[in-house]
Amino acid sequence: MKRLWWVIGIIGLVVVGLVVGRPLWARDAAPPAASLEALPPAGSGEGFARATEPNAIAFPRDLGAHDDYQTEWWYYTGNLQTADGRPFGFQFTIFRRALTPEDVLSADLADSADLRGSSESAQSAQSADQSSSWRTEQVYLAHFTISDIAADAFYPAERFSRGAAGLAGATAAPYRVWLEDWSVEQVAPGQVRLRAQMGDVATGEVALDLLLTETRPPVLHGDGGLSQKGPERGNASYYYSLIGQQAAGTVVAGGERFDVTGLAWKDHEWSTSALSEGAVGWDWVSLQMDDGGALMLFEIRRADGTREPLSAGTYVAPDGTL
Protein backbone atom coordinates (compact mmCIF):
# COMPACT_ATOMS: atom_id res chain seq x y z
CA MET A 1 0.00 0.00 0.00
CA LYS A 2 1.37 3.34 -0.97
CA ARG A 3 2.52 5.58 1.84
CA LEU A 4 0.35 8.67 2.13
CA TRP A 5 1.49 12.20 2.74
CA TRP A 6 -1.35 13.19 5.03
CA VAL A 7 -2.41 16.62 6.11
CA ILE A 8 -5.18 16.81 8.65
CA GLY A 9 -6.79 20.01 9.95
CA ILE A 10 -9.81 19.98 12.26
CA ILE A 11 -11.33 23.46 12.09
CA GLY A 12 -14.71 22.82 13.67
CA LEU A 13 -14.50 25.07 16.72
CA VAL A 14 -12.58 27.75 14.86
CA VAL A 15 -14.96 27.94 11.92
CA VAL A 16 -18.11 27.75 14.00
CA GLY A 17 -16.72 30.50 16.22
CA LEU A 18 -16.04 32.65 13.19
CA VAL A 19 -19.36 32.19 11.45
CA VAL A 20 -21.35 32.94 14.58
CA GLY A 21 -19.18 35.96 15.20
CA ARG A 22 -17.49 34.91 18.43
CA PRO A 23 -15.14 32.03 19.32
CA LEU A 24 -16.79 29.19 21.22
CA TRP A 25 -14.07 29.34 23.86
CA ALA A 26 -15.10 32.92 24.63
CA ARG A 27 -18.78 32.25 25.34
CA ASP A 28 -18.37 33.09 29.01
CA ALA A 29 -16.31 36.21 28.33
CA ALA A 30 -17.52 39.71 29.09
CA PRO A 31 -20.00 41.18 26.58
CA PRO A 32 -18.57 43.35 23.78
CA ALA A 33 -17.87 47.01 24.35
CA ALA A 34 -20.79 49.42 24.13
CA SER A 35 -19.48 50.81 20.84
CA LEU A 36 -20.21 47.45 19.19
CA GLU A 37 -23.78 47.03 20.44
CA ALA A 38 -25.26 48.62 17.32
CA LEU A 39 -23.68 46.10 14.97
CA PRO A 40 -25.95 43.69 13.08
CA PRO A 41 -26.58 40.37 14.87
CA ALA A 42 -23.58 38.04 14.52
CA GLY A 43 -24.07 35.56 11.72
CA SER A 44 -26.97 37.42 10.12
CA GLY A 45 -24.85 38.42 7.12
CA GLU A 46 -27.08 41.40 6.50
CA GLY A 47 -25.42 43.86 4.12
CA PHE A 48 -22.60 41.53 3.07
CA ALA A 49 -22.04 39.88 -0.30
CA ARG A 50 -22.87 36.18 -0.65
CA ALA A 51 -21.43 33.33 -2.67
CA THR A 52 -24.08 32.35 -5.21
CA GLU A 53 -22.52 31.89 -8.66
CA PRO A 54 -20.28 29.09 -9.97
CA ASN A 55 -17.16 29.83 -12.02
CA ALA A 56 -16.76 33.26 -10.42
CA ILE A 57 -13.17 32.85 -9.16
CA ALA A 58 -10.47 34.70 -11.12
CA PHE A 59 -6.73 35.01 -10.59
CA PRO A 60 -4.78 36.93 -9.46
CA ARG A 61 -7.74 38.99 -8.18
CA ASP A 62 -9.01 36.32 -5.81
CA LEU A 63 -5.68 35.69 -4.10
CA GLY A 64 -6.35 38.72 -1.91
CA ALA A 65 -9.02 39.79 0.56
CA HIS A 66 -12.76 40.02 -0.11
CA ASP A 67 -13.78 42.61 2.46
CA ASP A 68 -17.41 42.66 1.29
CA TYR A 69 -17.82 39.07 2.51
CA GLN A 70 -18.10 38.41 6.22
CA THR A 71 -15.56 35.60 6.76
CA GLU A 72 -12.38 34.51 4.97
CA TRP A 73 -9.29 32.43 5.57
CA TRP A 74 -5.95 31.50 3.98
CA TYR A 75 -5.12 28.06 5.35
CA TYR A 76 -1.74 26.35 4.93
CA THR A 77 -0.97 22.85 6.20
CA GLY A 78 1.80 20.43 5.40
CA ASN A 79 4.04 17.52 6.27
CA LEU A 80 7.80 18.01 6.41
CA GLN A 81 10.84 15.89 7.12
CA THR A 82 14.57 16.24 7.57
CA ALA A 83 17.08 14.51 5.31
CA ASP A 84 17.24 11.60 7.76
CA GLY A 85 13.44 11.28 7.87
CA ARG A 86 12.49 13.07 11.10
CA PRO A 87 8.85 14.16 10.56
CA PHE A 88 7.17 17.47 11.34
CA GLY A 89 3.73 18.86 10.66
CA PHE A 90 2.72 22.50 10.41
CA GLN A 91 -0.39 24.63 10.15
CA PHE A 92 -0.48 28.35 9.44
CA THR A 93 -3.78 30.16 8.97
CA ILE A 94 -4.81 33.79 8.79
CA PHE A 95 -8.50 34.55 9.21
CA ARG A 96 -10.36 37.75 8.35
CA ARG A 97 -13.68 38.66 9.94
CA ALA A 98 -15.73 41.70 8.96
CA LEU A 99 -17.47 43.42 11.85
CA THR A 100 -20.03 45.31 9.82
CA PRO A 101 -20.59 46.27 6.17
CA GLU A 102 -18.95 49.50 5.07
CA ASP A 103 -22.23 51.17 4.06
CA VAL A 104 -23.88 50.30 7.39
CA LEU A 105 -21.01 51.78 9.41
CA SER A 106 -20.92 54.91 7.26
CA ALA A 107 -24.65 55.42 7.80
CA ASP A 108 -24.26 54.93 11.57
CA LEU A 109 -21.43 57.47 11.67
CA ALA A 110 -23.55 60.01 9.82
CA ASP A 111 -26.51 59.44 12.14
CA SER A 112 -24.32 59.83 15.22
CA ALA A 113 -22.81 63.03 13.86
CA ASP A 114 -26.29 64.42 13.06
CA LEU A 115 -27.22 64.00 16.69
CA ARG A 116 -24.28 66.19 17.66
CA GLY A 117 -25.08 69.14 15.45
CA SER A 118 -25.75 70.49 12.00
CA SER A 119 -25.35 68.76 8.66
CA GLU A 120 -22.02 70.48 8.18
CA SER A 121 -20.66 69.27 11.52
CA ALA A 122 -21.98 65.77 10.77
CA GLN A 123 -20.06 65.59 7.51
CA SER A 124 -16.95 66.95 9.22
CA ALA A 125 -17.15 64.38 12.02
CA GLN A 126 -17.74 61.51 9.59
CA SER A 127 -14.85 62.60 7.37
CA ALA A 128 -12.49 62.85 10.33
CA ASP A 129 -13.45 59.39 11.56
CA GLN A 130 -13.08 57.79 8.15
CA SER A 131 -9.67 59.37 7.58
CA SER A 132 -8.15 57.73 10.67
CA SER A 133 -5.54 55.11 9.84
CA TRP A 134 -6.86 53.06 12.78
CA ARG A 135 -10.43 52.90 11.50
CA THR A 136 -11.44 49.51 10.14
CA GLU A 137 -14.32 47.06 9.88
CA GLN A 138 -11.88 44.13 9.48
CA VAL A 139 -10.40 41.98 12.25
CA TYR A 140 -7.61 39.48 11.55
CA LEU A 141 -6.60 36.47 13.63
CA ALA A 142 -3.93 33.87 12.98
CA HIS A 143 -3.08 30.36 14.16
CA PHE A 144 0.39 28.83 13.89
CA THR A 145 1.36 25.31 15.01
CA ILE A 146 4.27 22.91 14.67
CA SER A 147 4.06 19.20 15.45
CA ASP A 148 7.38 17.56 16.34
CA ILE A 149 6.40 13.93 15.90
CA ALA A 150 9.64 12.36 17.13
CA ALA A 151 9.59 14.41 20.34
CA ASP A 152 5.84 13.95 20.82
CA ALA A 153 5.58 17.75 21.11
CA PHE A 154 2.99 20.20 19.80
CA TYR A 155 3.50 23.97 19.73
CA PRO A 156 0.40 26.18 19.19
CA ALA A 157 0.10 29.97 19.09
CA GLU A 158 -2.42 32.58 17.99
CA ARG A 159 -2.60 36.33 17.40
CA PHE A 160 -5.29 38.95 16.84
CA SER A 161 -5.16 42.39 15.28
CA ARG A 162 -7.17 44.96 13.39
CA GLY A 163 -6.88 45.23 9.63
CA ALA A 164 -5.59 48.78 9.81
CA ALA A 165 -2.44 50.85 10.33
CA GLY A 166 -0.45 48.17 8.52
CA LEU A 167 -0.94 45.69 11.36
CA ALA A 168 -2.71 43.04 9.28
CA GLY A 169 -4.17 42.68 5.82
CA ALA A 170 -4.14 40.92 2.47
CA THR A 171 -3.32 41.98 -1.09
CA ALA A 172 -3.68 40.16 -4.39
CA ALA A 173 -0.96 41.72 -6.55
CA PRO A 174 1.58 41.14 -5.26
CA TYR A 175 0.11 38.36 -3.16
CA ARG A 176 0.67 38.94 0.53
CA VAL A 177 -1.29 38.07 3.69
CA TRP A 178 0.07 39.10 7.07
CA LEU A 179 -0.61 39.68 10.73
CA GLU A 180 2.28 41.66 12.19
CA ASP A 181 5.43 39.61 11.41
CA TRP A 182 3.57 36.40 10.56
CA SER A 183 3.13 36.37 6.80
CA VAL A 184 2.85 34.53 3.51
CA GLU A 185 4.25 36.57 0.66
CA GLN A 186 4.90 36.04 -3.04
CA VAL A 187 8.61 36.10 -3.83
CA ALA A 188 8.43 34.93 -7.47
CA PRO A 189 5.71 33.75 -9.84
CA GLY A 190 4.21 30.61 -8.33
CA GLN A 191 6.36 30.83 -5.22
CA VAL A 192 5.62 32.20 -1.74
CA ARG A 193 7.54 32.48 1.50
CA LEU A 194 5.76 31.56 4.71
CA ARG A 195 7.17 32.88 7.99
CA ALA A 196 5.93 32.67 11.56
CA GLN A 197 7.53 32.46 14.96
CA MET A 198 6.65 32.36 18.63
CA GLY A 199 8.92 33.29 21.49
CA ASP A 200 12.45 34.56 20.94
CA VAL A 201 13.63 33.58 17.46
CA ALA A 202 17.19 34.58 18.38
CA THR A 203 17.27 31.69 20.84
CA GLY A 204 15.56 29.38 18.36
CA GLU A 205 12.43 28.66 20.36
CA VAL A 206 9.75 27.84 17.75
CA ALA A 207 9.67 29.13 14.18
CA LEU A 208 8.75 28.29 10.62
CA ASP A 209 10.38 29.64 7.47
CA LEU A 210 9.34 27.86 4.28
CA LEU A 211 9.50 28.46 0.55
CA LEU A 212 6.42 26.95 -1.15
CA THR A 213 6.52 26.31 -4.90
CA GLU A 214 3.38 25.60 -6.94
CA THR A 215 3.43 22.47 -9.08
CA ARG A 216 -0.21 22.28 -10.17
CA PRO A 217 -3.01 24.67 -11.15
CA PRO A 218 -5.62 25.70 -8.56
CA VAL A 219 -8.36 23.21 -7.72
CA LEU A 220 -11.88 24.70 -7.67
CA HIS A 221 -14.13 22.85 -5.23
CA GLY A 222 -17.85 22.28 -5.55
CA ASP A 223 -19.51 23.73 -8.64
CA GLY A 224 -16.73 25.70 -10.30
CA GLY A 225 -15.46 27.00 -6.95
CA LEU A 226 -18.92 27.45 -5.37
CA SER A 227 -18.97 25.15 -2.34
CA GLN A 228 -22.48 24.78 -0.91
CA LYS A 229 -22.65 24.43 2.88
CA GLY A 230 -26.43 24.30 3.35
CA PRO A 231 -29.63 24.20 1.27
CA GLU A 232 -30.26 27.95 1.45
CA ARG A 233 -29.20 30.12 -1.48
CA GLY A 234 -26.03 31.98 -0.46
CA ASN A 235 -25.21 29.53 2.34
CA ALA A 236 -22.01 28.70 0.47
CA SER A 237 -18.41 29.75 0.05
CA TYR A 238 -16.00 30.40 -2.78
CA TYR A 239 -13.29 27.81 -2.29
CA TYR A 240 -10.09 26.80 -4.08
CA SER A 241 -6.93 24.92 -3.14
CA LEU A 242 -3.32 24.73 -4.23
CA ILE A 243 -2.20 21.14 -3.76
CA GLY A 244 1.17 19.43 -4.11
CA GLN A 245 3.20 22.53 -3.28
CA GLN A 246 6.86 21.68 -2.78
CA ALA A 247 8.04 23.00 0.58
CA ALA A 248 11.64 23.65 1.61
CA GLY A 249 13.09 25.65 4.48
CA THR A 250 13.59 25.45 8.22
CA VAL A 251 11.64 24.49 11.32
CA VAL A 252 12.72 25.49 14.80
CA ALA A 253 11.30 23.36 17.61
CA GLY A 254 12.51 22.54 21.10
CA GLY A 255 15.47 24.87 20.70
CA GLU A 256 16.75 23.05 17.59
CA ARG A 257 16.79 24.15 13.98
CA PHE A 258 16.05 21.62 11.25
CA ASP A 259 16.34 21.84 7.48
CA VAL A 260 13.20 20.28 6.02
CA THR A 261 11.40 19.50 2.78
CA GLY A 262 7.91 18.21 2.12
CA LEU A 263 4.47 18.88 0.70
CA ALA A 264 2.05 21.70 1.52
CA TRP A 265 -1.63 22.35 0.88
CA LYS A 266 -3.29 25.76 0.66
CA ASP A 267 -7.00 26.46 1.10
CA HIS A 268 -8.52 29.88 0.45
CA GLU A 269 -12.19 30.28 1.28
CA TRP A 270 -14.52 33.26 1.70
CA SER A 271 -18.24 33.50 2.42
CA THR A 272 -21.09 35.19 4.21
CA SER A 273 -22.95 32.35 5.78
CA ALA A 274 -23.82 30.96 9.15
CA LEU A 275 -24.22 27.23 9.45
CA SER A 276 -27.77 26.06 8.79
CA GLU A 277 -30.10 25.63 11.74
CA GLY A 278 -29.09 22.54 13.71
CA ALA A 279 -25.48 22.48 12.46
CA VAL A 280 -22.93 22.52 15.29
CA GLY A 281 -19.47 21.79 13.86
CA TRP A 282 -17.23 21.53 10.82
CA ASP A 283 -14.40 19.02 10.26
CA TRP A 284 -11.90 19.00 7.39
CA VAL A 285 -9.26 16.56 6.16
CA SER A 286 -6.93 16.40 3.18
CA LEU A 287 -4.66 13.66 1.82
CA GLN A 288 -1.74 14.04 -0.60
CA MET A 289 -0.65 10.71 -2.04
CA ASP A 290 2.65 9.45 -3.39
CA ASP A 291 1.13 8.79 -6.82
CA GLY A 292 0.12 12.47 -7.16
CA GLY A 293 -3.51 11.99 -6.25
CA ALA A 294 -5.15 14.18 -3.60
CA LEU A 295 -8.36 14.11 -1.60
CA MET A 296 -10.23 16.77 0.38
CA LEU A 297 -13.27 16.00 2.54
CA PHE A 298 -15.34 18.23 4.80
CA GLU A 299 -18.14 17.26 7.15
CA ILE A 300 -20.70 19.54 8.75
CA ARG A 301 -22.02 17.89 11.92
CA ARG A 302 -25.57 18.38 13.18
CA ALA A 303 -26.83 18.51 16.76
CA ASP A 304 -28.82 15.29 16.30
CA GLY A 305 -25.63 13.37 15.44
CA THR A 306 -26.23 13.24 11.70
CA ARG A 307 -24.16 14.73 8.90
CA GLU A 308 -25.31 17.68 6.78
CA PRO A 309 -26.28 16.13 3.41
CA LEU A 310 -24.25 18.75 1.56
CA SER A 311 -21.01 17.66 3.26
CA ALA A 312 -18.72 16.94 0.36
CA GLY A 313 -15.20 16.50 -0.98
CA THR A 314 -12.95 16.60 -4.02
CA TYR A 315 -10.70 13.89 -5.43
CA VAL A 316 -7.91 15.01 -7.75
CA ALA A 317 -6.47 12.21 -9.86
CA PRO A 318 -2.73 12.06 -10.54
CA ASP A 319 -3.35 13.50 -14.02
CA GLY A 320 -5.21 16.48 -12.50
CA THR A 321 -8.75 15.47 -13.42
CA LEU A 322 -11.46 15.91 -10.78
Side-chain angles (χ1 to χ4, degrees), residues 155-181:
Y155 303 93
E158 62 183 12
R159 287 183 177 180
F160 305 84
S161 190
R162 65 181 67 199
L167 296 173
T171 60
Y175 172 54
R176 180 176 179 239
V177 187
W178 75 97
L179 198 164
E180 298 173 358
D181 61 349

Side-chain angles (χ1 to χ4, degrees), residues 1 40 50 69 80 99 118 120-121 179 190 194 201 209 253 321:
M1 180 177 179
R50 287 187 177 270
Y69 291 80
L80 310 168
L99 300 176
S118 66
E120 182 178 349
S121 65
L179 198 164
L194 192 158
V201 174
D209 189 343
T321 57

Side-chain angles (χ1 to χ4, degrees), residues 28-91:
D28 296 327
S35 61
L36 299 182
E37 290 180 352
L39 298 180
S44 71
E46 180 182 353
F48 290 101
R50 287 187 177 270
T52 58
E53 302 298 328
N55 302 307
I57 295 176
F59 300 102
R61 179 194 68 195
D62 289 324
L63 296 173
H66 302 80
D67 289 353
D68 50 341
Y69 291 80
Q70 198 167 35
T71 303
E72 183 166 17
W73 57 80
W74 298 260
Y75 200 100
Y76 288 84
T77 53
N79 288 81
L80 310 168
Q81 62 180 6
T82 61
D84 61 1
R86 178 167 176 165
F88 293 89
F90 81 89
Q91 178 251 335

Side-chain angles (χ1 to χ4, degrees), residues 124-158:
S124 176
Q126 182 177 356
S127 176
D129 193 19
Q130 290 180 333
S131 66
S132 170
S133 63
W134 291 94
R135 178 184 179 275
T136 183
E137 291 79 53
Q138 308 297 326
V139 175
Y140 282 75
L141 52 153
H143 296 166
F144 160 48
T145 67
I146 289 178
S147 299
D148 184 350
I149 309 304
D152 194 24
F154 179 68
Y155 303 93
E158 62 183 12

Side-chain angles (χ1 to χ4, degrees), residues 50-306:
R50 287 187 177 270
T52 58
E53 302 298 328
N55 302 307
I57 295 176
F59 300 102
R61 179 194 68 195
D62 289 324
L63 296 173
H66 302 80
D67 289 353
D68 50 341
Y69 291 80
Q70 198 167 35
T71 303
E72 183 166 17
W73 57 80
W74 298 260
Y75 200 100
Y76 288 84
T77 53
N79 288 81
L80 310 168
Q81 62 180 6
T82 61
D84 61 1
R86 178 167 176 165
F88 293 89
F90 81 89
Q91 178 251 335
F92 175 77
T93 310
I94 295 182
F95 299 91
R96 179 194 59 80
R97 175 72 177 183
L99 300 176
T100 188
E102 174 70 33
D103 55 350
V104 172
L105 184 60
S106 296
D108 288 344
L109 289 171
D111 290 344
S112 299
D114 281 336
L115 293 175
R116 295 195 295 269
S118 66
S119 171
E120 182 178 349
S121 65
Q123 293 176 358
S124 176
Q126 182 177 356
S127 176
D129 193 19
Q130 290 180 333
S131 66
S132 170
S133 63
W134 291 94
R135 178 184 179 275
T136 183
E137 291 79 53
Q138 308 297 326
V139 175
Y140 282 75
L141 52 153
H143 296 166
F144 160 48
T145 67
I146 289 178
S147 299
D148 184 350
I149 309 304
D152 194 24
F154 179 68
Y155 303 93
E158 62 183 12
R159 287 183 177 180
F160 305 84
S161 190
R162 65 181 67 199
L167 296 173
T171 60
Y175 172 54
R176 180 176 179 239
V177 187
W178 75 97
L179 198 164
E180 298 173 358
D181 61 349
W182 295 7
S183 67
V184 53
E185 183 173 8
Q186 180 180 335
V187 295
Q191 194 171 68
V192 300
R193 186 178 183 185
L194 192 158
R195 286 180 287 186
Q197 58 81 25
M198 57 185 101
D200 186 355
V201 174
T203 63
E205 189 171 343
V206 181
L208 187 70
D209 189 343
L210 294 176
L211 201 62
L212 307 184
T213 303
E214 294 178 27
T215 63
R216 307 175 74 167
V219 174
L220 304 183
H221 298 288
D223 183 5
L226 179 67
S227 176
Q228 201 70 30
K229 299 301 193 294
E232 306 85 359
R233 176 175 169 79
N235 189 358
S237 67
Y238 290 121
Y239 179 16
Y240 71 86
S241 296
L242 287 174
I243 66 174
Q245 294 182 97
Q246 295 293 330
T250 59
V251 165
V252 177
E256 294 183 75
R257 182 177 301 274
F258 302 90
D259 293 326
V260 292
T261 58
L263 286 179
W265 180 298
K266 173 196 175 182
D267 272 0
H268 185 188
E269 197 161 358
W270 62 97
S271 67
T272 299
S273 175
L275 297 177
S276 297
E277 184 176 356
V280 296
W282 185 345
D283 302 325
W284 175 90
V285 60
S286 73
L287 304 172
Q288 302 197 80
M289 306 173 195
D290 282 349
D291 66 358
L295 176 67
M296 181 280 297
L297 297 170
F298 72 85
E299 172 190 73
I300 297 176
R301 291 173 278 108
R302 300 184 58 80
D304 62 4
T306 63

